[in-house]
Structures are given as C-alpha cells and as structure tokens.
Amino acid sequence: MTSPQNVVIIGGHGHIALRLARLLSPTHSVTSLIRDPSHAADIKETGAHPLLLSLEHNTSHDFTQLFQQKDVDVVVFSAGAGGKGGEERTKRVDYEGAVKIFDAIEAVHGDKKPRLILVSAIDIRHPDLVPPHYNEADKEVSDWLRDKIAAYMQWKYEADKDLVERTAFSWTILRPGTLTHEAGRGTACIGRTHITENISRDDVATVLALLVDRPDAAGLALDLVGGDDPIEQTLDAAIKLGETDWLG
C-alpha cells in the first residue's frame, strides 16, 4: 500500500496528463496545472484539482511558491508545445519551460525538495552518440525523427542535458516511443531496448503512475516502447538493473 503524496502535473490538460490524473487521484492529492480556464472542468472530471499557472508566462518563483505551499512530493513534467507555434515555441515550452521547473524545484527551501519525473522521448541523445544496441531498423527510426521533428529533438535534448547535471533534487526521465491513442495493453518494454514499437498513451500514463511511487528510480532515464512484458514487472526489473538510457 503506497502512502498518499502531493503531486503536481505540469501540462495538466495533455492526453497523457489527463490519463495520469485519473490513475493517481484515488490515492494521491493531484493538482493539474492549466493555462486555459476552460480546461478546468476536464481536470475536475479526473478527480484532480485544476490550477491556472502558465509555464510560458509565470516565473520560476511562482512555481517555487506553489511547490512550497502545497508541500509537493512529486512533480510530473508532461508539458510540450505539441508542434504548435514553430521552433520558437518548442524552445520556450520544451526547453525553457522545463528548465524553469528545474530551477523552481531547486529553489524550494530546506532539504525536502519535490522529486521530478520528466516526460521526454525516445532517442533523445547527442546526435553523434548512437546507442551500440541499435540495429538498422532503430537507426532508420532515429534518422526519421531527426529529419521530421528536428527542433523538438534538439530542445528536448537540451532540457534533458540540463537535468542530468542537477544534484539538488531527485529526478527520473521517462522516454516513450511514438505515441498512439489505442487502448493500453498493460504490457511494454522498458530500459535498453529497440525503438521501433509504438506505445499507447494509456500505457505511458500507467508507467508514470508507478514511477510516482518509485523514488528508487532516481537518476535513471528509461526508454519505453510497446512490448509483451507486464508493465509493473518490467519497470521493476529496469529500476533494479539501474542502467540509464541517457547518452549525452
């Protein structure tokens, strides 16, 4: 039985964030941050508490105050520009917005700082460092990603690179593959894996919900794609193995 925690979801109206809030709300206190007041009803429907706070327009200090006032245990960063607004907005949300949250957590007074779970993406790495386990199919997927969504890959990389150097708070990076709206299977492949299989948003939310209760995943970047192993078991195995998938 897990103990109740205070959780804040950044990017609370996203597809994964809404699914995550539904999973967490029965056992945890969940605050989902939104920038559009019309989204509040959707947040309430999940059982979470909506709060208007903009990643783009509010300051790092505003987020620090929130984390302190609510005595937040875990922050889930699930925000992203989603291809809207071009490279400038991708940089502003996926990189600068993420760094704003990193800084906000660091600025929380005292030793008890929120733990961060950052939703990144598969194959986010230094472009010259190719994982040795990649096969030709993996390399084709990687080349396609870097061609079609180059700005996204760049700014996600810059955010992740910033985070892995931080030591003032605990963090975990989840790196899902191509996302689908299909119903979750409850199975996946997590850790050092091939990157050709898609993963449903349902299953990503399930992994995030489990990570909320896994402080022992601190310092790990975990790849997540479709697979045949039960999610809880394969996540547990990846955490116990302790191998990060980050290549900086």
Side-chain angles (χ1 to χ4, degrees):
M1 192 74 174
T2 59
S3 58
Q5 299 190 76
N6 295 324
V7 181
V8 167
I9 302 176
I10 312 289
H13 198 255
H15 294 294
I16 291 173
L18 289 168
R19 288 165 167 82
L20 176 61
R22 290 189 186 95
L23 294 174
L24 293 178
S25 290
T27 52
H28 300 291
S29 175
V30 181
T31 300
S32 292
L33 304 189
I34 53 176
R35 58 187 176 86
D36 185 341
S38 68
H39 294 159
D42 293 335
I43 301 300
K44 291 177 181 177
E45 189 272 330
T46 70
H49 310 287
L51 181 65
L52 280 171
L53 205 59
S54 170
L55 192 60
E56 295 179 75
H57 302 300
N58 283 95
T59 66
S60 177
H61 179 67
D62 293 333
F63 288 95
T64 297
Q65 286 189 309
L66 168 68
F67 300 155
Q68 290 178 165
Q69 289 168 359
K70 288 190 171 292
D71 193 23
V72 172
D73 299 297
V74 181
V75 175
V76 180
F77 187 98
S78 187
K84 299 174 182 176
E87 180 174 357
E88 182 180 338
R89 186 162 186 266
T90 297
K91 179 183 179 182
R92 194 162 64 244
V93 175
D94 292 82
Y95 170 59
E96 294 173 354
V99 171
K100 183 181 293 186
I101 297 303
F102 306 162
D103 291 342
I105 294 174
E106 282 201 352
V108 169
H109 298 315
D111 295 331
K112 181 184 176 294
K113 300 182 190 299
R115 181 163 52 92
L116 175 69
I117 302 170
L118 177 74
V119 181
S120 183
I122 204 82
D123 199 48
I124 298 296
R125 57 180 171 83
H126 191 290
D128 296 334
L129 299 176
V130 180
H133 66 277
Y134 274 19
N135 59 25
E136 289 306 312
D138 296 324
K139 292 175 183 177
E140 287 181 10
V141 171
S142 180
D143 290 344
W144 185 91
L145 291 170
R146 290 171 195 285
D147 177 56
K148 299 298 183 183
I149 52 173
Y152 174 84
M153 299 295 285
Q154 176 190 352
W155 293 115
K156 280 291 188 186
Y157 168 68
E158 295 297 336
D160 291 8
K161 185 171 67 171
D162 183 292
L163 179 60
V164 298
E165 297 297 325
R166 306 256 180 167
T167 58
F169 58 90
S170 295
W171 52 262
T172 303
I173 302 173
L174 186 65
R175 297 154 45 98
T178 301
L179 301 171
T180 76
H181 286 289
E182 295 176 1
R185 296 170 53 195
T187 60
C189 186
I190 302 175
R192 202 154 296 176
T193 183
H194 298 292
I195 64 173
T196 53
E197 296 296 325
N198 298 340
I199 185 78
S200 78
R201 288 170 170 84
D202 285 351
D203 289 330
V204 175
T206 296
V207 175
L208 288 170
L210 291 168
L211 283 172
V212 165
D213 296 311
R214 295 300 301 259
D216 53 339
L220 295 178
L222 297 171
D223 286 355
L224 169 64
V225 297
D228 298 322
D229 296 321
I231 284 176
E232 190 165 1
Q233 294 177 21
T234 189
L235 177 62
D236 185 62
I239 292 172
K240 288 179 176 175
L241 185 62
E243 289 184 349
T244 185
D245 295 312
W246 167 254
L247 273 178

